[in-house]
Amino acid sequence: MDIKNELIEVCRYFGIKGEPVEFEVMRDGHINTTYVVIFNEEGKIKKYLVQGINTHVFKNPARLMDNIVGVTTFLREKIKENGGNPDRETLSFIPAKNGKYYHYRQEKCWRIYRYIDDSYTINIIKNPGVFENAGRSFGLFQKNLSGYPMESLYEIIENFHNTPKRLENLKNSIDADVMGRVAEVQDEIDFVFARLKDTKRVLRLYRDGLIPLRVTHNDTKLNNILFDKTTNESICVIDLDTIMPGFSLYDFGDAIRFGANTAAEDERDLDKVQLSIPLFESFTKGFLSACATALTRAEVDNLAFSAKLMTLECGIRFLTDYIDGDVYFKTAYSDHNLVRAKNQFKLVYEMEKHMDEMNAIVKKIYSECI
Ligand code: GN1
Ligand code: MG
C-alpha cells in the first residue's frame, strides 16, 4: 500500500472524516516520522499530524502515550488557569476507535494530534529575542509541571541523560567495532575520554542532595517549540516523548547545545561552529525569568556547565551510533553521525573557552531575577 493510502486508513481508524486534500512529510526530528495530513471536513479545512512512532527507540507505546496524555491533560488545566488557550499552548492527541492513543497497523505504530494552525518551527536563530522567548517557554514548561505527580511517569528510555552510562555504551561499541570504523575516529574518542571527570558531575550533585529530580522535557531542541506566525512568540512546547523525571540542568543545557550553536547540528565546516554568547545570554534571560525562584543554588551554579555536558553527551551518542553502523538516529548520508559528533565536540571546545564568561552571565541574570 502506498503511504498516502496508509495515512488515510490510519486517519479513519482515529475517527477522522472528510476528504483528504494534502500530504506533506516533515523533515525535523531524528527519530519519528511525521506527516501533515489535511482533510476537508464538510467545507472546513482540518490539519493533523500523523506520526509513525519509532518503536525501535520507544519500545512501549502504551507507556509512552500514558505519560504524554497525562502531562498534556495536566497542562491544559494549568494553561486555562493562567488564562491561556489550551488548544494552542499544548498538544491535543486524538484517541483511536479502540480508545487508545496509539494504533498498530502491520508492525507500524501510529498516533495523531491536531496541527496548531499558523505556527512554525525554527532550526537556526538569527534574532536573540526569539531565543529568549524559547527560554521562557522551556522555563514555564518546567514550572507548570512542578506539581505533576512525578511517580506516575514511566521512565520511557532508561538512563536517557545518564552521561556515564552513555560513555559505557561508547566503550562497548568501541570494543565491538562492528563496522570497523573505530580506527578512523580515534581523535574523537580521545576527545571524549579526556573529559571523563565532567561526565560524572551532575549525578554526583544529585547524590549529594544538591539538585532535585523534576519533571523535565529532556529534548529541548529549538525545533521542539512552535512559534506563532503572526506574533513570532513561542506558543507551545512539542515532542513530548522523553518527558520523564530528570534534572532541570538537562533541559537548560540541551537547549543551549542546539540553539546557541552558530551553525546547524550537522554543519561539516567546523569553523562555522561557535557558541553565540548573545544567544546564550538571551536564552538564560528567558529561562531564568520563568523559573529562577524555583531553582536551587547548585542548579543555577551549574547551568553553564550543563550546556557543555549536554553537548558532550550528544556528541558521544552520535559517535556511538556511527561506530554501531547508524542504527539509532536517522541519517541522510554515510558519515552523517560522524559529522554531527565532530560538530558537537567542536562546540564543547568553544564552550570550554567561554566557560568563565558563560558563568558570569548566569550569575548576573540570576541576581536580576530573584
Ligand atoms: C533526537 O527526535 P529529535 O530529533 O527531537 C533525540 C535527542 C537528541 C536529538 C539530537 C528520543 O531528538 O535526544 O538530543 O535527536 N531524541 C531521542 O538532535 O533520542
Ligand atoms: Mg523533535
Side-chain angles (χ1 to χ4, degrees):
M1 190 185 288
D2 78 347
I3 185 67
K4 282 186 188 173
N5 285 323
E6 174 138 20
L7 289 170
I8 294 169
E9 293 210 358
V10 171
C11 287
R12 297 297 182 223
Y13 193 77
F14 281 79
I16 293 168
K17 302 193 180 65
E19 286 307 305
V21 198
E22 219 179 295
F23 302 85
E24 194 194 327
V25 61
M26 304 260 287
R27 301 272 164 220
D28 285 351
H30 298 340
I31 309 290
N32 295 317
T33 311
T34 314
Y35 303 87
V36 185
V37 182
I38 305 181
F39 278 82
N40 183 335
E41 288 176 33
E42 295 176 348
K44 279 196 188 136
I45 294 298
K46 299 252 172 101
K47 275 188 175 184
Y48 300 93
L49 288 162
V50 183
Q51 204 162 41
I53 300 175
N54 180 333
T55 47
H56 174 68
V57 172
F58 302 111
K59 297 195 166 56
N60 191 328
R63 290 186 166 191
L64 176 74
M65 293 315 292
D66 205 79
N67 275 4
I68 292 180
V69 172
V71 163
T72 49
T73 308
F74 183 88
L75 283 175
R76 289 187 84 79
E77 289 313 310
K78 279 272 165 203
I79 294 163
K80 276 193 230 158
E81 274 169 31
N82 297 334
N85 175 354
D87 292 336
R88 273 187 91 60
E89 294 169 36
T90 191
L91 296 177
S92 307
F93 285 84
I94 298 178
K97 279 187 178 155
N98 60 4
K100 294 185 177 147
Y101 285 87
Y102 61 95
H103 172 53
Y104 274 102
R105 249 183 78 85
Q106 293 145 6
E107 316 273 288
K108 278 199 199 145
C109 187
W110 298 92
R111 67 181 169 200
I112 301 189
Y113 48 105
R114 292 184 200 286
Y115 186 95
I116 298 181
D117 285 322
D118 302 318
S119 66
Y120 62 92
T121 54
I122 310 177
N123 276 302
I124 290 203
I125 291 255
K126 298 277 182 284
N127 167 2
V130 174
F131 204 33
E132 186 173 336
N133 275 334
R136 196 171 305 111
S137 281
F138 282 130
L140 272 178
F141 183 83
Q142 205 163 94
K143 193 172 173 203
N144 277 338
L145 285 174
S146 60
Y148 192 79
M150 195 159 36
E151 61 292 347
S152 70
L153 285 171
Y154 294 106
E155 191 177 0
I156 289 300
I157 301 177
E158 265 177 54
N159 295 312
F160 189 60
H161 281 309
N162 182 331
T163 320
K165 206 76 203 163
R166 296 290 184 183
L167 199 65
E168 208 178 299
N169 295 345
L170 173 62
K171 277 186 200 151
N172 292 338
S173 298
I174 294 171
D175 289 346
D177 195 12
V178 288
M179 306 292 291
R181 286 175 168 177
V182 166
E184 172 204 351
V185 296
Q186 202 50 56
D187 288 351
E188 286 68 38
I189 293 172
D190 292 347
F191 184 94
V192 170
F193 285 96
R195 286 155 183 82
L196 196 63
K197 216 169 121 223
D198 287 331
T199 61
K200 301 177 182 161
R201 192 197 292 188
V202 168
L203 288 176
R204 201 190 58 229
L205 289 170
Y206 175 61
R207 274 196 298 270
D208 292 347
L210 296 171
I211 61 172
L213 267 180
R214 301 178 186 277
V215 177
T216 47
H217 183 280
N218 296 307
D219 185 8
T220 47
K221 272 161 89 164
L222 180 62
N223 62 20
N224 285 334
I225 286 193
L226 294 182
F227 290 86
D228 188 301
K229 269 191 187 157
T230 323
T231 64
N232 294 319
E233 292 284 325
S234 54
I235 43 175
C236 180
V237 171
I238 60 171
D239 205 343
L240 308 176
D241 292 327
T242 50
I243 290 181
M244 283 181 278
F247 302 119
S248 61
L249 293 173
Y250 297 157
D251 280 2
F252 180 88
D254 196 53
I256 298 297
R257 169 191 82 74
F258 189 88
N261 187 344
T262 52
E265 188 185 61
D266 58 357
E267 171 61 59
R268 203 183 265 275
D269 179 355
L270 297 184
D271 290 341
K272 293 187 180 154
V273 178
Q274 308 280 337
L275 173 78
S276 161
I277 289 290
L279 288 180
F280 176 78
E281 188 162 3
S282 321
F283 188 89
T284 306
K285 256 189 209 154
F287 188 81
L288 286 180
S289 73
C291 69
T293 51
L295 298 182
T296 68
R297 192 66 227 194
E299 283 174 317
V300 178
D301 290 346
N302 285 282
L303 287 174
F305 170 78
S306 76
K308 174 182 159 186
L309 181 70
M310 287 294 97
T311 310
L312 180 65
E313 182 191 275
C314 199
I316 292 174
R317 293 175 64 197
F318 288 142
L319 181 60
T320 306
D321 201 30
Y322 181 70
I323 295 173
D324 288 347
D326 313 306
V327 291
Y328 186 91
F329 295 105
K330 280 191 220 160
T331 49
Y333 48 88
S334 63
D335 64 344
H336 204 165
N337 271 319
L338 181 58
V339 168
R340 289 170 176 149
K342 286 184 176 174
N343 178 306
Q344 299 297 289
F345 296 148
K346 171 70 188 326
L347 189 58
V348 167
Y349 172 77
E350 291 297 322
M351 287 174 176
E352 286 172 346
K353 282 202 310 202
H354 292 285
M355 196 46 73
D356 290 345
E357 201 179 339
M358 290 159 75
N359 274 316
I361 289 169
V362 171
K363 207 167 169 186
K364 177 171 162 285
I365 295 173
Y366 180 66
S367 70
E368 288 161 4
C369 287
I370 48 158

